[in-house]
Amino acid sequence: MSFSYPGKDEPALHRISLTIRRGEVVALVGENGSGKSTLAKVITGLYLPDEGQVCRDGVDIAKVDQRELHSEVAVVLQNPVEWPMTAENNVRIGRLERPDPDGSVLAAAAVDSGTDAVVADLPRGWDSVLSREFQNGCDLSGGQWQRISVARGLYRDAPLLVADEPTAAMDAPGRARRVPIPSLTAA
Ligand SMILES: Nc1ncnc2c1ncn2[C@@H]1O[C@H](COP(=O)(O)OP(=O)(O)OP(=O)(O)O)[C@@H](O)[C@H]1O
Ligand SMILES: [Mg+2]
């Protein structure tokens, strides 16, 4: 498939062909501007290709119900969305409807992403609001936000997880962490 951004002469993705199998971990490596982030968005159905198709289980995702499609993907973006809400809600927003009565799912996502250490340093722990615009709100560093964003992606527990340079702003211990991927460990 190919994809061009509106108003651009050169396509960002030109005749890409790729198969990803269930349970597989694939790393995309390339120069800045080569199209990795764009490909991540096309694979997950956030953008539709201009030419060709993206198929999931043999079905063109352009023909699948958009809500169902989005429910089955998790994307940890290169620049995570910093919601002006509590630390807890910044993770749970990955899947608000996920049952977690004893908080163990939240805790596991926090440990696996290193968010536990971020929350331990917050004045009100999980209840701290992550925005300076609020009274008693806190500011996080870029790497701390990335940890939250990885926790959000893990908490979402989707069959397809795309992580776009999720550790770029993290320190060495943050990067070295080995994240267990739920769908793989369950298989
Ligand atoms: N929103 C956009 N509108 C127009 N052009 C864009 C947009 N986002 C990316 N591009 C262009 O598409 C091409 C691919 O960009 P993309 O962000 O996918 O690259 P990348 O491989 O992720 O780069 P990096 O390593 O810097 O993250 C680049 O030429 C870029 O300028
Ligand atoms: Mg990119």
Side-chain angles (χ1 to χ4, degrees), residues 5-6 8 12 30-39 47 78 164-165:
Y5 284 99
K8 288 243 178 158
E31 289 172 14
N32 295 137
S34 59
K36 305 178 295 292
S37 296
T38 307
L39 183 58
Y47 296 159
Q78 196 164 0
D164 191 357
E165 305 199 34

Side-chain angles (χ1 to χ4, degrees), residues 22 44 62 91 95 138 159:
R22 200 175 291 274
T44 49
V91 175
R95 192 160 317 259
C138 318

Side-chain angles (χ1 to χ4, degrees), residues 73-76 90-92 94-95 98 105-115 146-163 166 170 177-183 185:
V73 300
V75 189
V76 178
N90 261 285
V91 175
R92 289 203 194 273
R95 192 160 317 259
R98 186 165 183 189
V105 183
L106 178 71
V111 169
D112 292 340
S113 59
T115 296
Q146 279 199 327
R147 289 175 184 231
I148 297 250
S149 170
V150 171
R152 186 186 295 160
L154 296 175
Y155 187 83
R156 186 162 173 77
D157 192 31
L160 175 63
L161 170 65
V162 175
M170 282 189 203
R177 192 173 297 273
R178 293 177 64 86
V179 175
I181 298 176
S183 56
T185 43

Side-chain angles (χ1 to χ4, degrees), residues 94-126:
R95 192 160 317 259
L96 287 170
E97 69 279 20
R98 186 165 183 189
D100 184 24
D102 61 359
S104 58
V105 183
L106 178 71
V111 169
D112 292 340
S113 59
T115 296
D116 52 344
V118 177
V119 171
D121 279 346
L122 292 172
R124 288 173 178 73
W126 282 115

